[in-house]
Structure formats: C-alpha cells, structure tokens
Amino acid sequence: MKNDLKKILQFQKDRDWKQYHLPKNLAISLALEAAEILEIFQWTKDNELPEEKREQLGEEIADVYSYLLLLSHETGIDIQKVFKRKMEINEKKYPVEKARGSSKKYSEFC
C-alpha cells in the first residue's frame, strides 16, 4: 500500500495535479469511479460479470483504489489503522452467531 501511495503521489506531482486533488474533489471523483463500477453490472442477468467487462472492472477498481489512497493521504487518515478499527466494530455489531447467513442490518438482530 505504501508503494502504491508513493507511485500515485509521484504521478500527481509529475503532472502538477495536487492543486486539484483537494479532499472534496477526491471524494467526488471516488464516488464517480464507484458509479462506473455499478455501470458495468447495470442490466446484467443475475448479477453476472460478462467476461468482456472483466478488464474494465479491474481498471475501475484501480481508479477507486487510487482516489481512496489520495483521499486518505490528503486528510491524514491512516487507512490501514481505521480499517482495522472498523473491522473490530463490525465484528461486535455482527456477531457470527447472529449474522451468519443473514443479510439483516445489525439493528434488526433481536
């Protein structure tokens, strides 16, 4: 992940794009790229991924990853640290004995 961040920061620097990569702009770009992932699956049957769209999906996932790295960097958020903390929270919200095989939201568990 660190090497990926270094690479995207160098890419940004080489093009003098830091001036555009403000948190709001990065958040918008992240949402737009995520929407492009949705577009790949739009109108597919049974949520299948058409083989001819697999490469495009990979590229869109990479775009989302790039914007996520930049957004976390620009806001000073340690993405690995917050991911670990969020997983711990989710493990408490969705205990295996209640959540296994269920799509219910944690607030719906009795």
Side-chain angles (χ1 to χ4, degrees):
M1 188 172 284
K2 270 189 175 179
N3 288 336
D4 295 340
L5 179 58
K6 284 182 184 178
K7 189 168 192 101
I8 192 71
L9 289 174
Q10 187 62 54
F11 183 87
Q12 177 195 66
K13 182 180 178 183
D14 291 346
R15 288 153 183 81
D16 191 26
W17 285 354
K18 185 168 176 53
Q19 61 186 318
Y20 308 114
H21 288 170
L22 304 172
K24 176 191 68 106
N25 295 345
L26 293 169
I28 291 168
S29 296
L30 177 61
L32 292 171
E33 293 299 339
E36 289 182 20
I37 290 173
L38 287 173
E39 188 176 25
I40 291 169
F41 288 97
Q42 185 179 25
W43 313 120
T44 60
K45 183 180 177 185
D46 299 324
N47 297 315
E48 64 188 29
L49 174 62
E51 191 56 41
E52 67 273 10
K53 300 272 185 160
R54 191 171 202 65
E55 185 175 341
Q56 182 185 0
L57 176 61
E59 290 177 6
E60 300 305 339
I61 289 171
D63 287 341
V64 167
Y65 179 66
S66 296
Y67 283 119
L68 194 57
L69 286 176
L70 282 170
L71 181 58
S72 62
H73 174 76
E74 290 299 319
T75 56
I77 293 174
D78 182 334
I79 193 168
Q80 291 176 311
K81 183 178 177 180
V82 297
F83 174 76
K84 182 180 176 188
R85 188 175 75 232
K86 182 62 176 176
M87 286 306 298
E88 290 168 356
I89 291 167
N90 286 344
E91 287 171 356
K92 290 176 185 170
K93 283 183 179 178
Y94 296 94
V96 173
E97 60 275 4
K98 291 183 179 180
R100 185 173 181 81
S102 173
S103 62
K104 291 181 181 178
K105 187 173 178 175
Y106 68 91
S107 59
E108 296 179 58
F109 295 141
C110 299

